[in-house]
Amino acid sequence: GATLIIPQGHATSAVEQVYVIQEGDNLARIAEMFGIDMQIIVTYNEWTDGVNHLLMVGDTVKIPPNATYVPPPTTARSVTTP
C-alpha cells in the first residue's frame, strides 16, 4: 500500500509578513497562529497601548521575520448519505 503524507501547512518566512485582521481575530489568536508571543507583535508594531491595542477587521498587523504560520484547524463536517 501507498502512504499518503498530508503537509501541515506550516510556513516560516525570512521576511516580515503582513496579516489582515479577520472577523473573530484577537491578538492571542494571531500570536498563536504565528507561533510567537503577543508582546513580540506589540513591540514589533510599536503599539503604545500594548496588548490592549484595538484590532479592527481589515486592519493589518506586521509579523516579524522567522515567524511560522500555523493555519487554524478547520471544522470537520459529517455528511450522512442514505
Side-chain angles (χ1 to χ4, degrees), residues 48-65:
T48 57
D49 49 357
V51 295
N52 296 316
H53 186 76
L54 181 62
L55 300 174
M56 303 291 290
V57 172
D59 285 351
T60 57
V61 176
K62 295 184 296 183
I63 305 297

Side-chain angles (χ1 to χ4, degrees), residues 22-68:
Q22 306 295 311
E23 184 72 36
D25 278 345
N26 60 51
L27 185 56
R29 182 170 183 256
I30 296 167
E32 183 178 340
M33 282 192 301
F34 286 94
I36 57 178
D37 188 85
M38 291 188 302
Q39 192 58 49
I40 292 172
I41 294 174
V42 168
T43 302
Y44 195 75
N45 284 273
E46 301 177 343
W47 294 335
T48 57
D49 49 357
V51 295
N52 296 316
H53 186 76
L54 181 62
L55 300 174
M56 303 291 290
V57 172
D59 285 351
T60 57
V61 176
K62 295 184 296 183
I63 305 297
N66 300 319
T68 301

